[in-house]
Amino acid sequence: SSTTSILRPIAYGTVLICTLSIIFILILFYYGTRTITEPIQKTIEALNEVSKGNIKQRIAIESKDELGDLAKNFNIFSKRLTS
């Protein structure tokens, strides 16, 4: 009985910390995947516009990683089509 009363707050604290950690990880996962999928979606939309004949389509370069390189090369490709 006295052991249970001592361990109960520790158990509740552990459950609370685990729950908050899971929520935090889910939020990080959501925003992490969004930063990857959003530029890819913009590139897909731009490619669809080019396939419809809008060869002046450009993508705003917002990052300096591989997705930024993809947007930069798409813009070069699109610019060469109009030249």
Side-chain angles (χ1 to χ4, degrees), residues 2-74:
S2 66
T3 305
T4 304
S5 63
I6 293 171
L7 293 178
R8 183 169 285 143
I10 295 171
Y12 287 145
T14 303
V15 169
L16 178 65
I17 288 172
C18 288
T19 304
L20 291 175
S21 297
I22 290 170
I23 291 170
F24 180 71
I25 289 169
L26 289 174
I27 290 170
L28 282 178
F29 181 75
Y30 172 76
Y31 285 108
T33 55
R34 191 171 155 181
T35 60
I36 294 171
T37 57
E38 201 170 287
I40 292 172
Q41 186 62 37
K42 287 181 183 178
T43 304
I44 291 169
E45 290 170 4
L47 286 167
N48 284 334
E49 285 298 314
V50 169
S51 72
K52 293 176 187 175
N54 181 7
I55 59 175
K56 293 183 178 182
Q57 187 69 33
R58 301 291 188 271
I59 301 173
I61 301 171
E62 300 173 2
S63 63
K64 295 183 180 184
D65 57 6
E66 291 85 357
L67 295 172
D69 289 342
L70 178 63
K72 183 178 105 179
N73 286 314
F74 174 85

